Amino acid sequence: MIFPYFHDLVEKINLTLKTQTSGEDFIRVFQYKRKALRGADRAADLQRLFGNIKEDWAINKGGGPELQYHIHKDYKKSQIRYGLGFNMQYVPHQNDMPPSAYAKPFADAYLALEPKLQAAFPSFSLFEDRALLENPQDGKHVLWGKAIPLTDINDQIFIEEVDFDQMIVDLKEIFKAYVLIYEQRNKREHISMDILEKLNLLKDKKQIILQGPPGTGKTYLAQDLAYQLINGLALPKDEKARKEALDKLYLSGQFRMVQFHPNYGYEDFVRGMESDASEDLAGFSVKDKILASLAKEAHTNYLTSQKQKDELSKEKVFWEQWELFVERVQLRIDEKGKFPISDHVYLCETSEDAFYYTGDNWKNRNRMPFIEIAKLYFNDVKERKAVKHVEGIGERTKQHSTYFFNVLEDFRQKEGKTKISSQVEKPDLKSYVLIIDEINRANLPAVLGELIYALEYREYPVDSMYEHPDSGNKIVLPPNLYIIGTMNTADRSVGQIDYAIRRRFAFIPILPDEQVIKTVLQENAAPALELFHQVQGLFRLHESDQETSYLSPDFMAEDVMIGHSYFLEANEEKLRNRLTYEVIPILKEYIRDGVLSLSAKDAIEHLT
């Protein structure tokens, strides 16, 4: 196919896309779907979107600050590139923000969907530096798409007809990606800029602490951030819908929440010994606790999402063949009472994730985790002495290498006897979030132990003081695990957070905000606002009388002021109850702790 000018090729593409396909005009479908995605009152003119364009770069001329269908020529590489474009070069008729600011929501949406898009369109890729999507820059343009060969003779463009036909097929097919990215962007647009700023900081730093006085909604905000990070959209404002959404969040497997207290320790939070009558070592076994277990799940997802499909297919086949092998072992144990793995050692029981083995004269039995056999299998261990050299293998596996290797060999003899499909879906990269409420109430260096290092050096394994039977003594905090702490700045225990830990967290102040009261209560906000201002007045210096502040000079007002959540009541009787039974007891406690002076007592009694 020969085209005198590049825009002639664009025009031919437009005309071809207008061809009736299965009773549908693709461009008209595009026109009205774009209208719905933009929330516009009317659809853009077709000539503006897919007209006879003289500019040699875009199919849809309209929508400069949007996601674009895009095509351009690269003479240096003799290619025509086409796909979806993120334009940071110009914004027609819109000057309130730079071009990169308009492009960022679409870029963020693409990055959130990237694993899914890569799986659905494996032949598509980014032609520019991915960092430009993470941090859009004015004057740049990023294309996600494909390329076909281009021959240029005397300024005329020659392309093969089969390449042109494939381009048309691809442009219609990626309409699905166009819609997905636009819908994801729309979800993100419903998140307030305040939330987005904190979310971006969390993504960058990996762990943050929301700090402020009591009643400022720190835990509420932490849940919002977790839900947004995991699901890509905001939590509902309606109380019932919010609770239902949070219930689903807890069931997702990607979220945990814990509250620290003074007696909380490493063995409660990371890894520790638990009584287990099924184990040796005097009936105790090492168990992963909330952080180590969530980190393990996140790390498994992170590693799996980075693998190629053929590798995942091999793993799928192994585990399904292994399941059949375990069934055979269990049948033999049921029939004979044992499954021999050497002259005097045998498997005596199976569980969900391990065999148990013992010997003729052994007092105890030992655990043989399935994951350890899998490590040997995928490292292609062919002889017993090679077991000890497998990276990440457990100490028990090394000590009893003969028994582990014999089980592997037994499996290999039976492997492949049953045909199993190797079709597998590549999993998306997921976010995992741990909220630590009242993080400052525990002795953090003692609770975190060696993981203080892991917080800063993600993906690097650190040695735990306990060796887990499945994963050895290594613990990894992967980059898709995020930690949100909340901290009451009025609590004296904040001094327990030392500089080494402070350096690893980003601290975000969450302060009392009367705007929240106005937003929530709207026209019924007046009584709550009046009471809010009275209480805040206890912590403020008045210009006319420097002596009317009751706050001790040892404290800063923003650390101890009563937060807005205590005043979110439109019903005046409920508001008074909150004052009497929640706010005033805190204020009296402040007097006992020296936060407020004794002279504040009368002012507190006269709060109305």
Side-chain angles (χ1 to χ4, degrees):
M1 302 178 72
I2 304 174
F3 300 94
Y5 300 100
F6 186 74
H7 65 255
D8 293 321
L9 169 60
V10 175
E11 182 177 15
K12 176 66 174 177
I13 292 170
N14 290 338
L15 291 172
T16 306
L17 287 172
K18 290 176 184 177
T19 302
Q20 296 294 319
T21 305
S22 302
E24 281 192 341
D25 182 337
F26 169 79
I27 291 186
R28 196 162 291 278
V29 171
F30 178 95
Q31 177 189 25
Y32 284 95
K33 184 61 179 178
R34 175 180 177 270
K35 169 183 175 290
L37 291 168
R38 293 181 67 237
D41 294 331
R42 58 185 179 85
D45 183 80
L46 281 178
Q47 185 68 18
R48 181 168 184 247
L49 289 176
F50 290 88
N52 182 11
I53 301 169
K54 298 302 180 183
E55 293 138 338
D56 293 352
W57 62 275
I59 295 177
N60 58 322
K61 179 180 179 181
E66 298 174 12
L67 184 66
Q68 298 175 319
Y69 265 57
H70 186 87
I71 181 170
H72 74 265
K73 56 185 179 295
D74 187 332
Y75 286 123
K76 291 182 179 179
K77 295 187 177 180
S78 298
Q79 290 179 338
I80 292 176
R81 295 174 177 175
Y82 61 92
L84 299 180
F86 302 86
N87 178 31
M88 310 161 207
Q89 295 174 324
Y90 85 112
V91 181
H93 314 301
Q94 300 189 54
N95 300 309
D96 53 324
M97 290 195 302
S100 57
Y102 285 104
K104 184 168 176 51
F106 291 100
D108 288 343
Y110 167 83
L111 292 172
L113 294 168
E114 191 172 36
K116 179 183 289 189
L117 294 173
Q118 286 178 340
F121 301 92
S123 60
F124 277 64
S125 60
L126 291 173
F127 283 97
E128 286 77 21
D129 189 348
R130 187 175 182 278
L132 286 174
L133 290 182
E134 296 171 341
N135 296 288
Q137 299 177 22
D138 290 344
K140 301 294 184 180
H141 190 283
V142 177
L143 177 71
W144 175 72
K146 291 174 65 175
I148 59 173
L150 161 70
T151 302
D152 180 40
I153 302 176
N154 296 327
D155 291 331
Q156 289 189 316
I157 295 171
F158 293 77
I159 63 173
E160 296 293 336
E161 189 168 347
V162 66
D163 290 330
F164 180 87
D165 291 343
Q166 184 61 50
M167 187 190 308
I168 297 300
V169 170
D170 288 335
L171 289 172
K172 288 182 177 180
E173 187 65 19
I174 63 169
F175 183 57
K176 298 173 186 175
Y178 176 91
V179 173
L180 281 174
I181 295 172
Y182 220 125
E183 288 177 340
Q184 180 73 9
R185 174 263 188 189
N186 288 348
K187 289 178 183 177
R188 294 183 63 84
E189 286 294 282
H190 292 143
I191 308 296
S192 71
M193 288 304 297
D194 183 56
I195 290 283
L196 282 177
E197 288 176 4
K198 295 175 176 61
L199 198 63
N200 289 333
L201 180 59
L202 176 58
K203 288 179 179 180
D204 178 58
K205 188 68 176 178
K206 305 299 182 187
Q207 52 264 343
I208 62 174
I209 290 179
L210 307 176
Q211 63 174 0
T216 53
K218 298 179 288 296
T219 304
Y220 189 95
L221 175 58
Q223 292 171 337
D224 278 343
L225 292 171
Y227 192 84
Q228 162 66 18
L229 197 59
I230 291 172
N231 294 301
L233 65 160
L235 267 169
K237 297 297 182 185
D238 176 74
E239 187 174 343
K240 182 179 178 182
R242 179 185 177 90
K243 183 182 182 304
E244 291 174 353
L246 284 172
D247 288 342
K248 291 179 181 178
L249 184 66
Y250 277 95
L251 294 173
S252 69
Q254 297 169 241
F255 175 77
R256 302 281 195 285
M257 185 169 177
V258 63
Q259 188 175 72
F260 278 2
H261 55 76
N263 292 327
Y264 212 72
Y266 180 93
E267 289 78 7
D268 303 302
F269 185 58
V270 182
R271 180 177 283 175
M273 301 286 289
E274 279 189 7
S275 176
D276 188 343
S278 67
E279 294 290 334
D280 57 354
L281 297 177
F284 285 87
S285 62
V286 174
K287 302 290 185 183
D288 280 337
K289 299 306 175 69
I290 188 168
L291 178 58
S293 62
L294 187 62
K296 183 178 179 180
E297 292 173 26
H299 194 220
T300 298
N301 170 258
Y302 177 74
L303 293 177
T304 305
S305 68
Q306 308 302 309
K307 294 177 180 177
Q308 299 301 315
K309 272 196 170 184
D310 57 347
E311 189 178 359
L312 293 173
S313 297
K314 182 180 178 182
E315 291 180 2
K316 176 178 180 288
V317 171
F318 167 80
W319 285 112
E320 293 191 9
Q321 292 279 7
W322 179 260
E323 187 176 343
L324 295 173
F325 175 71
V326 173
E327 290 177 4
R328 295 189 192 102
V329 171
Q330 185 61 56
L331 283 173
R332 178 67 178 273
I333 293 173
D334 291 342
E335 293 172 0
K336 306 291 185 180
K338 62 177 68 174
F339 186 98
I341 53 176
S342 76
D343 291 342
H344 301 286
V345 178
Y346 51 88
L347 303 178
C348 58
E349 186 183 338
T350 66
S351 70
E352 185 179 344
D353 59 354
F355 290 131
Y356 290 88
Y357 63 101
T358 188
D360 290 338
N361 299 311
W362 293 14
K363 293 182 179 180
N364 300 311
R365 61 181 187 167
N366 294 285
R367 189 168 183 270
M368 182 182 291
F370 295 159
I371 191 66
E372 292 291 276
I373 305 296
K375 291 175 185 176
L376 304 183
Y377 178 86
F378 289 114
N379 280 276
D380 200 27
V381 172
K382 298 296 188 185
E383 53 185 5
R384 182 193 60 78
K385 63 182 181 181
V387 171
K388 298 180 180 180
H389 302 294
V390 175
E391 184 178 354
I393 211 75
E395 285 301 317
R396 175 66 54 78
T397 309
K398 294 177 183 178
Q399 294 166 6
H400 289 181
S401 58
T402 297
Y403 311 133
F404 282 75
F405 181 74
N406 288 350
V407 170
L408 174 63
E409 285 296 280
D410 206 324
F411 167 73
R412 281 179 174 148
Q413 290 175 16
K414 298 174 177 61
E415 181 186 12
K417 299 292 178 64
T418 304
K419 188 66 176 175
I420 293 175
S421 170
S422 62
Q423 294 296 319
V424 64
E425 289 291 327
K426 186 174 180 179
D428 295 339
L429 177 63
K430 298 177 181 179
S431 296
Y432 292 74
V433 182
L434 171 62
I435 293 178
I436 306 174
D437 204 28
E438 305 283 1
I439 191 172
N440 53 299
R441 289 184 58 77
N443 182 351
L444 285 181
V447 172
L448 293 173
E450 69 282 342
L451 292 184
I452 294 175
Y453 174 89
L455 288 171
E456 186 166 6
Y457 298 97
R458 295 299 187 100
E459 295 187 71
Y460 288 90
V462 295
D463 292 331
S464 169
M465 65 181 75
Y466 296 101
E467 181 177 344
H468 192 276
D470 291 352
S471 50
N473 68 336
K474 304 292 185 184
I475 296 179
V476 176
L477 299 187
N480 59 331
L481 173 63
Y482 301 89
I483 299 173
I484 305 173
T486 69
M487 186 173 81
N488 184 352
T489 50
D491 195 324
R492 293 271 187 165
S493 58
V494 295
Q496 294 178 1
I497 298 184
D498 61 28
Y499 289 115
I501 294 175
R502 284 183 176 275
R503 185 165 56 85
R504 286 161 171 81
F505 285 84
F507 286 76
I508 302 175
I510 309 297
L511 303 177
D513 185 359
E514 67 178 65
Q515 187 59 45
V516 177
I517 301 174
K518 294 176 182 177
T519 301
V520 173
L521 302 184
Q522 298 180 6
E523 66 271 11
N524 299 312
L529 283 172
E530 181 181 353
L531 186 57
F532 175 79
H533 292 146
Q534 286 182 41
V535 172
Q536 300 312 301
L538 298 171
F539 302 89
R540 299 293 189 192
L541 285 172
H542 297 275
E543 293 181 5
S544 59
D545 185 0
Q546 292 291 308
E547 299 301 320
T548 57
S549 172
Y550 305 104
L551 181 65
S552 165
D554 295 333
F555 293 87
M556 298 184 67
E558 57 265 31
D559 287 341
V560 293
M561 290 170 70
I562 304 298
H564 47 263
S565 66
Y566 288 101
F567 304 89
L568 298 179
E569 290 288 354
N571 181 291
E572 292 197 36
E573 181 180 352
K574 291 183 178 180
L575 182 63
R576 297 301 158 189
N577 284 339
R578 299 203 74 169
L579 172 67
T580 302
Y581 301 110
E582 297 180 49
V583 175
I584 288 179
I586 293 175
L587 295 173
K588 288 182 176 179
E589 191 71 27
Y590 278 176
I591 292 177
R592 285 190 287 271
D593 288 344
V595 177
L596 295 176
S597 64
L598 282 172
S599 58
K601 186 176 180 181
D602 288 340
I604 292 171
E605 295 293 341
H606 287 86
L607 288 172
T608 58

